[in-house]
Amino acid sequence: MEAVKTQDIGVNDLNWIIEYKPERCTMCGSCVASCSFGAIKAAVRRQDITVSEENTPAPVHKHSARPVIKQVASLTNFCRGCGICQKVCPNNAIMPRRNPDARRTLLSRDSGPIKRGGRTNLNAERTLDKIVVGRISQMTDPSLDAARHTFDIRAPFGRVLGTKELPFAVENGKLTVKGKKPPVRWIYPLIFSDMSIGALSTRAWEAVAMAVGCLNEKYDIPVRMSSGEGGMPAKLLTSEYLKYFIIQIASGHFGWNRIIQAMPYMKTDPAGILIKIGQGAKPGDGGLLQKEKVAEHIGAIRGVPRATLASPPNHQGLYSIEESVQKMHLSMNAAFGFRVPVAIKCAASSTSVSVYNNLLRDPYKICGGFFIDGIQGGTGAANEISLDHTGHPVVSKIRDCYLAAAKQGLTGQIPLYGGGGIGMTGNAAADAFKMICLGANGVFVGKILIQLLGCVGNEQGRCNACNTGKCPMGICTQNPRLVKRLDVDKGAQKIVDYVLAFDAELKKLMAPIGNSSLPVGRSDALVSTDANIANKLGIGYVC
C-alpha cells in the first residue's frame, strides 16, 4: 500500500469548501460549466448499500456508481468563494463555505506549502503588520532594478572589531596584520532555527538539512541551520557539510559527548556554536522531550536511556553574564581553536538590553552574535501558559539593543539576529526586511520549516500535538509508521522553493529604497500606521 501523502493538498487545506448535496442534484452540469476557475468537476462515486425489498428480511448487498460533483484540490484550480455555482444551480444543491481550518497559501505554485504550524492565541496581533516601507527612492535618489541589479545579501556571524581595534599596522608603506582577529562568517540573513533531532522526526530533520545543502551547493545562498539541543548524527559531524551547521549547546548538554568524540575526525569546522540560554516559546523554563519521542536512535545520539528528558531552565553553575562569557564562550572558542564564532541565544525580555550591553563590553572580544527569540515563537509542543503569558515581542527588543549599541559607538560589533513569529502571517521576507531596517543583521525561522513540511496546526486548535509523539504528518514523531508518511525529497524541495522566493522578495524590497546591500538600521525607510509603535521604535507615523 502506498504511503499517505501528507504533504499533498487536500480540500480541507483550502480557503473554501464546496458544500454539495447529491440528493438534490440532477447533474444538469450548470455549476461545472459556469465555474471559471475549474474548481469543481463531474466525477463518479461508488456506493455500497445493504437493502431488503421483500416483505420479510432478505438483505441484499448492492454496489452502485453514481455521478456527483467533486471539488478540485489544487493550488491553481481552487475555489475562490464567488458563489456562481450556487446562483446557477436550479435545486440549491451546491454552495461554497468558508473553511476556518484553511492553511494560508505561501507559494502560488502547486508545489507550495500552506499555513504555518504551531499556534499563538493572545499574541497573534503583531507589531510588524503595522509597519510598512514608507520611504521610496524616486527622482533625485534613484531606486534599483530588482530583477537585473546585483545585490550583496550577506550578514556577519562573528565578532566584528571596531576600526581602532583592528590588528593592522602600516610598516614600510604596507598594511600588515599584527595579532589575531575573531572569526567572522558571512552568511545569508536567514537562519534555520534550532529544532532538534528528537523534537523533529529524523526524516523531517533530514529534509531541512538537505535543503540547506542544496541552497549552498546549487544556488550559492549561504543559509545556515542550527542543530538544536540534542546532538547531531555522527556521519554529519565528520562530513564536509558540517560547515553549514551551527551546533547548539543548551542547558541539558544532550548529545555533546558524541560531538566531543567526533572533534578529532571533523573534516571542517562548524559554521558556529550557539549557546542557548532561553527561547521565545518558554522563556525561563527548561525544555521537555516526552518519553514517547525518545526512540532508540534518539537515545543513542543524546547518550540517554528511554525516559522523559528535561532540560534545566538555565545553565547550571553560571550565575552572571560575565561568568558565562569567561567560562562558556572561552571554552567553546578554545575547543575549536578560536576558529569558530560563538553566539548566545536569549528570550526577549526586559533584561535583553542588559545582557547585550554586557556582551558588548566583553574584554575577550569573542562573542560572535546575539540571538533574541520573541514571544510569538514556538510550536504546538510548548505550554499554552508560556506561549501566551511569558516573554516580549521581538521587534522592540531588537530595536532597543541596536540603539543601545549605537549610543556607545559599538554598532554592528556583535551581530543581532531576531526570531519569534517571523513569517507568521505568510511573508517572511517582508518581516525580515523590517527587522533588518530596525537594526537586526538577520532573522531565524522555525515554524515556517515545519509548515513547509506539511504541518496542519493552527490558531483554531487544529492538531497542535507536537509534544505527544503522535504527529499525523510524520514531522514531530518518532513512530516509524507515522514517520514514513513524510516525503523527505518533497519536503526539502519545498523549503528550497520558499527560500528562493524569500530571496527574490527581499530584493524587491531593497530595490525601492536604493539599497544593494542589507539596510541594517535604516529605520528611515519604515513608517507605522500606529502612533504608539512609531513613537516606541523611533520611526515615522502615517495615517
Side-chain angles (χ1 to χ4, degrees):
M1 181 179 178
E2 187 177 2
V4 177
K5 297 179 179 179
T6 58
Q7 290 152 303
D8 288 352
I9 304 302
V11 169
N12 200 39
D13 295 326
L14 304 176
N15 290 328
W16 295 86
I17 293 178
I18 298 296
E19 196 171 88
Y20 174 66
K21 299 176 181 178
E23 67 276 7
R24 293 186 178 183
C25 180
T26 59
M27 293 303 294
C28 65
S30 299
C31 56
V32 176
S34 63
C35 182
S36 58
F37 303 110
I40 51 178
K41 65 180 180 180
V44 175
R45 177 188 299 166
R46 171 178 168 169
Q47 288 186 330
D48 296 346
I49 187 171
T50 301
V51 297
S52 177
E53 298 177 349
E54 303 296 333
N55 293 329
T56 58
V60 178
H61 195 61
K62 292 185 177 181
H63 305 279
S64 62
R66 59 178 301 177
V68 293
I69 302 300
K70 185 177 180 181
Q71 183 173 0
V72 176
S74 166
L75 288 183
T76 52
N77 300 94
F78 59 90
C79 177
R80 270 75 165 183
C82 67
I84 194 69
C85 56
Q86 181 185 16
K87 293 180 180 180
V88 301
C89 180
N91 302 306
N92 198 27
I94 189 170
M95 65 177 293
R97 175 173 56 83
R98 189 180 295 277
N99 179 19
D101 286 327
R103 297 195 286 162
R104 191 177 191 278
T105 301
L106 291 179
L107 296 180
S108 59
R109 53 207 232 192
D110 214 10
S111 64
I114 9 206
K115 187 168 173 69
R116 56 176 283 270
R119 49 158 295 282
T120 297
N121 284 339
L122 300 183
N123 301 291
E125 185 176 345
R126 304 189 322 151
T127 302
L128 289 172
D129 295 331
K130 297 181 180 179
I131 299 174
V132 294
V133 181
R135 185 190 186 281
I136 309 299
S137 302
Q138 296 183 73
M139 292 187 180
T140 59
D141 188 8
S143 58
L144 306 174
D145 190 320
R148 288 179 285 273
H149 190 81
T150 300
F151 291 84
D152 179 21
I153 305 180
R154 296 292 184 269
F157 181 44
R159 182 64 183 244
V160 178
L161 295 179
T163 54
K164 296 181 180 180
E165 300 171 326
L166 292 173
F168 297 137
V170 178
E171 294 180 353
N172 300 324
K174 294 183 179 180
L175 188 66
T176 59
V177 178
K178 294 284 188 179
K180 294 183 178 180
K181 62 181 181 65
V184 178
R185 307 279 195 268
W186 288 93
I187 64 175
Y188 196 72
L190 179 70
I191 295 175
F192 292 168
S193 188
D194 32 294
M195 294 184 290
S196 67
I197 300 179
L200 297 184
S201 68
T202 307
R203 289 171 71 92
W205 202 91
E206 180 186 351
V208 179
M210 284 176 59
V212 170
C214 178
L215 289 165
N216 280 273
E217 300 286 333
K218 184 176 180 180
Y219 296 103
D220 193 29
I221 298 179
V223 172
R224 297 295 179 261
M225 171 183 172
S226 176
S227 67
E229 181 179 24
M232 296 171 64
K235 288 186 177 179
L236 181 56
L237 287 171
T238 55
S239 75
E240 295 286 350
Y241 294 100
L242 182 62
K243 60 188 176 184
Y244 303 139
F245 290 82
I246 300 170
I247 303 177
Q248 184 183 98
I249 177 171
S251 57
H253 293 209
F254 292 119
W256 267 85
N257 284 342
R258 177 172 288 202
I259 293 172
I260 292 171
Q261 292 169 4
M263 281 184 181
Y265 307 101
M266 290 181 179
K267 297 178 182 177
T268 182
D269 290 329
I273 305 295
L274 181 62
I275 302 170
K276 189 192 80 172
I277 303 296
Q279 58 183 320
K282 39 187 179 291
D285 189 12
L288 186 71
L289 188 67
Q290 302 282 9
K291 176 182 177 181
E292 290 74 17
K293 298 180 72 171
V294 185
E296 184 178 352
H297 63 283
I298 301 301
I301 293 175
R302 297 194 174 206
V304 294
R306 184 177 176 84
T308 297
L309 305 179
S311 298
N314 52 29
H315 286 266
Q316 304 301 300
L318 299 177
Y319 301 103
S320 68
I321 296 301
E322 292 80 7
E323 188 176 15
S324 69
V325 167
Q326 292 175 0
K327 284 186 176 179
M328 201 173 299
H329 281 94
L330 195 58
S331 62
M332 286 295 103
N333 274 276
F336 288 93
F338 295 88
R339 301 184 306 270
V340 176
V342 179
I344 188 172
K345 178 180 178 181
C346 290
S349 73
S350 299
T351 60
S352 297
V353 178
S354 300
V355 174
Y356 190 57
N357 281 333
N358 275 284
L359 295 174
L360 284 169
R361 301 186 188 105
D362 166 25
Y364 303 102
K365 308 295 182 186
I366 56 176
C367 180
F370 190 50
F371 288 57
I372 308 177
D373 198 6
I375 192 174
Q376 290 168 327
T379 65
N383 292 316
E384 292 187 7
I385 190 71
S386 296
L387 284 171
D388 292 339
H389 298 285
T390 56
H392 286 193
V394 70
V395 179
S396 62
K397 294 297 103 182
I398 284 286
R399 186 65 175 160
D400 289 346
C401 287
Y402 176 81
L403 293 177
K407 288 179 181 178
Q408 302 172 64
L410 303 175
T411 307
Q413 293 196 18
I414 296 182
L416 283 167
Y417 287 86
I422 302 299
M424 193 172 93
T425 55
N427 198 315
D431 291 349
F433 178 83
K434 296 170 188 177
M435 291 284 286
I436 290 170
C437 286
L438 291 172
N441 293 92
V443 297
F444 52 93
V445 297
K447 279 185 290 194
I448 282 180
L449 302 179
I450 64 171
Q451 168 194 343
L452 294 167
L453 294 176
C455 177
V456 297
N458 66 15
E459 293 85 351
Q460 284 77 39
R462 186 183 185 192
C463 199
N464 295 322
C466 308
N467 63 309
T468 63
K470 299 178 181 179
C471 173
M473 302 297 147
I475 301 169
C476 299
T477 178
Q478 305 302 332
N479 185 316
R481 181 177 66 87
L482 299 175
V483 169
K484 288 181 180 178
R485 297 179 178 180
L486 183 65
D487 188 326
V488 175
D489 294 332
K490 192 171 184 178
Q493 186 60 56
K494 286 184 176 183
I495 294 174
V496 169
D497 288 343
Y498 188 82
V499 174
L500 294 178
F502 177 98
D503 187 66
E505 291 182 352
L506 191 59
K507 293 174 183 176
K508 284 287 185 183
L509 291 170
M510 291 167 61
I513 67 169
N515 261 61
S516 58
S517 59
L518 291 179
V520 180
R522 276 209 57 186
S523 57
D524 66 302
L526 303 178
V527 295
S528 177
T529 56
D530 185 295
N532 292 326
I533 291 175
N535 181 58
K536 169 63 179 174
L537 300 179
I539 60 178
Y541 167 61
V542 294
C543 60

